[in-house]
Structure formats: C-alpha cells, structure tokens
Amino acid sequence: MITSNLSAGLERLGELIANASAIVPFTGAGISTECGIPDFRSPTGMWARHRPIPFDEFVASREARDEAWRRRFAMDEAFAKARPGRGHRALATLHRAGKVPAVITQNIDNLHQASGIGAEYVVELHGNTTYARCIGCDKTYELQWVRERFEADGSAPDCTACKAPVKTATISFGQAMPDAAMRRAAELARAADLFLVVGSSLVVWPAAGFPLMASEAGARLAIINNEPTDQDSVADLVIHHDIGEVLGPFVGN
Ligand code: NAD
C-alpha cells in the first residue's frame, strides 16, 4: 500500500508495529529536519548550497580540509541546538518497549543517542560529526580542540601523534565504510521482521542496500518519506507524509 493519507497510513503502520517483535529502523536525514538540521537533497538541503567534498580531495588538499572545517563550524549552532524530534522519540519508545533491538542510521548528528537509545544500540553507517578523528591513527579529538587551533592558525590542525589530517568522525564519499557497523547492520536487517525506513531518499549506496536485504530475508518493509524512493515498489507500506506527524502518535513516556 502506498498512501499519503495520514490516518490510513497510521492504521496500517500501527498494525505492522503491533504484529512485529524485531523492528529495525533505518533512518536518514529526513528524521532530523524538524530538529533544524537540513537534509542533503531537498531544495533547502545542504547540496543546494555546497558540492560535497570527496574523501580523496580532503586527503590531498589543505584548502579542501579548511573548507570542510569551515562548513562544519558554520553548522555548529544547528548541531548543538538540535534536540531529538518526534521520530527519534517514537523509535526510542519502541526500543524501551523491547521491540527495537537497535537502530541503523545514516545520520551523523547523534540524535538517536540523545533520545535515550544507548550508543551501543545505534549503528552508525556514516559516522558521527559531533567529534573528530585522525584519518591516520584514529586518535579522537573534541571539536572544540579543532576549532581553537583553526581560529588561531586560520587552518585545520593535523594529528598531534602522527601528523595525518584530522577530520570529523564521518564517512565521506569515497571513504571506506566502517566494517563493524556494516556487519552489524546486515545481521539486524536479516533478523528483522519489520524494517522501517524513516527519512531516507535511499540513493546513497551501499547503505541503501539494507532495506532490500531485509525484505529478501522475509521482513515486512515500511517506508516513511515525504517523497517517493526507488524502493517504494518493493515495500509493504509506503507513507508519503511528514515523519513527525506519522511517528508522533508512537511517542510514549
Ligand atoms: P537525503 O537528504 O538524501 O534524503 C532525505 C529524505 O528525507 C528526502 O527524500 C526528503 O524528501 C525526506 N524528508 C526530509 N524531511 C522530511 C520530513 N520532515 N518528513 C518526511 N520526509 C522528509 O538523506 P539520506 O537518505 O540520509 O542520505 C544522505 C546522507 O546525508 C546520509 O548518508 C547522511 O550521512 C547524510 N546527512 C545526515 C544528516 C544528519 O545527520 N541529520 C543531515 C544531512 C545529511
């Protein structure tokens, strides 16, 4: 069923949730837009303003690194102010109820953890932008440390231990996916009885392979997104509507 009717969608989603015992949410930037963090591909998204900086360019060019950090600092206030939205809180409610073993997310904003889901139950496919990491030796850094040096020198700092570039702890285009997170996501997808895609355009691969993997392994597939995705035709339920309104009724205490 594909619907943009809220009450029809909610009725069917309620049934799917009630009948499921292993719901695996797969979230994208759309779950966080109501929290003030723009997505990538909407007309108001980040790519309307900036071309993404691929990993090899970040590694090769100090100018690219400086530009990447300038963009990150420009987003500081939005990330710092953001609080979990209705979608995050609904998924946290289902997690507390024992229905959601873990959340798979493409997001880098830390809002699932902020909603009360323990970090060990949040599988981050594209890393986390709330801290930084050396791309050579993996040493982690606070963003504040990077910012102070950037402001003092006008340029992004290198690692104090191995001198390699320091980058937000995110996965850029062209950068290797994190093995452990990819393995865990695959296990979750195969064990799910309901796979719930929330706010993803499903165009970023290999992440976009997980809904199909879950569906092929026998899970029901539900997609909540305000525009169509390439995987709507294989889903059991597609709700084309605002995520906060769809998941708001599932927020509990
Ligand atoms: P995307 O920008 O490609 O897709 C987001 C989808 O959500 C779009 O189809 C959009 O129409 C929809 N959407 C936006 N707000 C919505 C709302 N309120 N209700 C319903 N639908 C809504 O994002 P993606 O699929 O996550 O892939 C892009 C990559 O962007 C990810 O890999 C992620 O790493 C990164 N990203 C993350 C954040 C974040 O952490 N919050 C923000 C921007 C981009």
Side-chain angles (χ1 to χ4, degrees):
M1 168 174 153
I2 299 183
T3 184
S4 49
N5 179 290
L6 182 59
S7 60
L10 272 175
E11 192 182 328
R12 184 71 188 119
L13 181 63
E15 287 167 8
L16 287 174
I17 288 177
N19 292 331
S21 53
I23 304 169
V24 174
F26 174 90
T27 63
I31 197 173
S32 297
T33 52
E34 77 170 13
C35 314
I37 301 174
D39 61 12
F40 271 170
R41 289 178 183 75
S42 294
T44 52
M46 300 193 205
W47 286 359
R49 281 174 281 152
H50 296 303
R51 164 189 83 82
I53 298 172
F55 185 64
D56 56 354
E57 204 177 313
F58 183 94
V59 175
S61 152
R62 174 161 294 285
E63 272 165 32
R65 292 199 284 282
D66 290 348
E67 173 60 16
W69 277 109
R70 262 192 297 277
R71 289 183 194 177
R72 176 60 187 83
F73 296 139
M75 287 294 297
D76 242 4
E77 205 186 342
F79 280 117
K81 273 206 319 226
R83 295 291 169 267
R86 289 169 289 179
H88 300 99
R89 287 184 277 132
L91 299 181
T93 303
L94 292 169
H95 175 66
R96 280 197 300 279
K99 286 207 155 230
V100 165
V103 174
I104 305 172
T105 189
Q106 301 176 86
N107 291 348
I108 54 175
D109 55 27
N110 212 51
L111 288 176
H112 288 298
Q113 293 91 325
S115 75
I117 300 180
E120 65 274 35
Y121 303 111
V122 181
V123 180
E124 294 178 319
L125 298 177
H126 296 155
N128 189 306
T129 194
T130 63
Y131 62 97
R133 179 176 278 156
C134 167
I135 63 171
C137 70
D138 277 350
K139 182 173 159 66
T140 58
Y141 292 91
E142 304 263 331
L143 293 188
Q144 189 56 27
W145 179 89
V146 179
R147 189 164 191 158
E148 281 163 15
R149 272 142 199 87
F150 191 92
E151 281 168 3
D153 303 346
S155 193
D158 293 330
C159 178
T160 54
C162 76
K163 308 286 178 234
V166 173
K167 181 178 173 294
T168 54
T170 51
I171 306 297
S172 299
F173 285 102
Q175 190 170 1
M177 294 293 283
D179 284 340
M182 289 296 285
R183 268 198 306 276
R184 183 127 178 259
E187 283 163 16
L188 286 161
R190 290 198 195 97
D193 55 12
L194 174 60
F195 199 84
L196 187 60
V197 177
V198 184
S200 175
S201 58
L202 296 178
V203 299
V204 179
W205 291 80
F210 289 113
L212 293 173
M213 188 186 286
S215 171
E216 279 162 15
R220 296 292 182 93
L221 177 60
I223 298 177
I224 308 170
N225 205 58
N226 62 10
E227 61 172 17
T229 77
D230 287 348
Q231 298 184 28
D232 286 5
S233 60
V234 295
D236 298 277
L237 172 66
V238 180
I239 306 179
H240 289 153
H241 202 85
D242 177 70
I243 290 159
E245 286 189 38
V246 175
L247 288 180
F250 298 95
V251 177
N253 295 319

